Amino acid sequence: MTTLSDPTLAAVVELIYGDQAKFYSLEGLLLSVDLKRPEYTVEMWVNSDSYWGRLVTPVYGARMAALAGNADADQALLNLVEVTTQKFLRGESPERGQLPPWLTTLRAALLLDGYQLRLEKISGTAAEDTVRCRLRPTSRLPVALAEQLALIETELELRSQQTPLEQLQQATRAWSRRDYTACEEYLSASLDHLTAYAAGTQELDSAKNVRHLIDTARLSVREGTRLLRDLRLLTSPNPYPHRTRADATRFRIQLTAIRAATLLAQIEF
């Protein structure tokens, strides 16, 4: 699973920490981007009562949750980047020659994560001009996700699992040509075949195969529940209404990658 990388999030939290006066309340900022959740509270070697601790702990906790497949955590981190960028660019011109140096660093980090940062000026009085920031997925998958998919494809080839391999390859090709519906259908088919392979059956009955993996102690009940839920989300109409169509499909690619890796780890070669 991939989400915003450490360099990207480090650039954002350091920006916030370096100019704390930009936000009236740190807690207000965290609440506005949905990072103020108990499940994002993790143990870190920082003073949890300090400004830095109160900022970096939920961000790091959300990143860990996103890496495990939590769509809300992933979206909260995207929200943090957008809201922070907008706040720091308030009153600035979105013209490239007039933008601050920190934005160049952030944009470069986001491109490696597969996102393009777009700016749009919202007209108002000279003192009230603001900039709207939006993150949009690029036509290429993030570097880390592309490498993860390449490893999965290589393992499927070594295991002679041609059907899920071809379906996964078709999914990435469909993504490249922006055929998101086809991409999701190939992802679902690939993961269905992988689940059947892991369960040792020839049937494409997801619920039955997942139940078998739980009964044979290869997946915990919690892991099996998440796998079955994600299998169903791959083709459900609109499970991520807060995302753009392209970003929702890319998140489904990420989910497929992490569930495929989990399944392959349960199969003796």
Side-chain angles (χ1 to χ4, degrees):
M1 185 70 183
T2 62
T3 185
L4 292 182
S5 63
D6 284 336
T8 296
L9 294 175
V12 174
V13 297
E14 287 172 4
L15 189 64
I16 297 169
Y17 185 73
D19 192 352
Q20 299 172 21
K22 282 286 185 183
F23 295 98
Y24 178 75
S25 164
L26 175 59
E27 279 65 33
L29 167 63
L30 298 175
L31 283 168
S32 71
V33 298
D34 201 23
L35 277 174
K36 195 69 174 176
R37 292 192 181 190
E39 58 265 37
Y40 301 155
T41 302
V42 294
E43 292 294 328
M44 295 185 68
W45 290 99
V46 295
N47 179 356
S48 59
D49 294 327
S50 67
Y51 189 97
W52 177 254
R54 286 154 45 218
L55 170 61
V56 76
T57 299
V59 171
Y60 181 78
R63 185 170 191 273
M64 293 300 100
L67 287 171
N70 187 319
D72 290 338
D74 186 65
Q75 183 61 46
L77 296 175
L78 298 177
N79 293 343
L80 178 67
V81 175
E82 291 183 344
V83 169
T84 301
T85 302
Q86 288 174 182
K87 189 71 172 180
F88 275 81
L89 290 179
R90 186 176 181 82
E92 301 277 352
S93 169
E95 298 299 326
R96 185 173 294 274
Q98 303 179 42
L99 294 174
W102 60 262
L103 190 60
T104 301
T105 301
L106 179 59
R107 270 182 158 155
L110 284 165
L111 281 175
L112 289 177
D113 292 343
Y115 282 100
Q116 181 182 29
L117 188 153
R118 296 182 181 178
L119 301 176
E120 176 188 350
K121 186 175 181 179
I122 304 174
S123 298
T125 64
E128 295 177 348
D129 278 351
T130 59
V131 174
R132 177 183 291 133
C133 168
R134 290 292 181 266
L135 298 181
R136 294 291 181 260
T138 61
S139 58
R140 294 186 177 184
L141 292 173
V143 174
L145 179 56
E147 291 177 352
Q148 188 178 9
L149 288 171
L151 287 173
I152 292 171
E153 289 175 2
T154 302
E155 184 169 350
L156 289 172
E157 181 181 359
L158 290 173
R159 291 175 179 271
S160 300
Q161 292 301 303
Q162 197 64 24
T163 298
L165 169 61
E166 291 177 354
Q167 289 164 337
L168 191 57
Q169 291 172 334
Q170 290 284 2
T172 54
R173 292 190 193 107
W175 159 263
S176 298
R177 62 176 184 268
R178 301 182 186 275
D179 188 347
Y180 304 127
T181 300
C183 176
E184 290 161 2
E185 290 173 353
Y186 282 124
L187 290 173
S188 178
S190 180
L191 202 54
D192 270 333
H193 277 88
L194 260 178
T195 306
Y197 173 51
T201 71
Q202 300 298 320
E203 301 178 33
L204 296 179
D205 185 330
S206 298
K208 183 177 180 179
N209 288 330
V210 171
R211 193 177 303 114
H212 180 72
L213 289 168
I214 294 172
D215 291 343
T216 54
R218 282 180 285 172
L219 290 179
S220 67
V221 173
R222 183 175 182 179
E223 290 171 333
T225 300
R226 291 189 66 88
L227 173 60
L228 186 57
R229 174 180 175 273
D230 290 342
L231 280 164
R232 290 169 175 169
L233 282 178
L234 285 175
T235 53
S236 58
N238 189 22
Y240 312 117
H242 49 278
R243 293 176 180 267
T244 63
R245 185 71 174 88
D247 202 31
T249 301
R250 196 180 78 167
F251 190 79
R252 285 165 159 163
I253 297 175
Q254 296 177 198
L255 277 180
T256 301
I258 191 172
R259 302 305 173 224
T262 300
L263 288 168
L264 288 170
Q266 307 305 315
I267 309 168
E268 292 186 6
F269 192 19

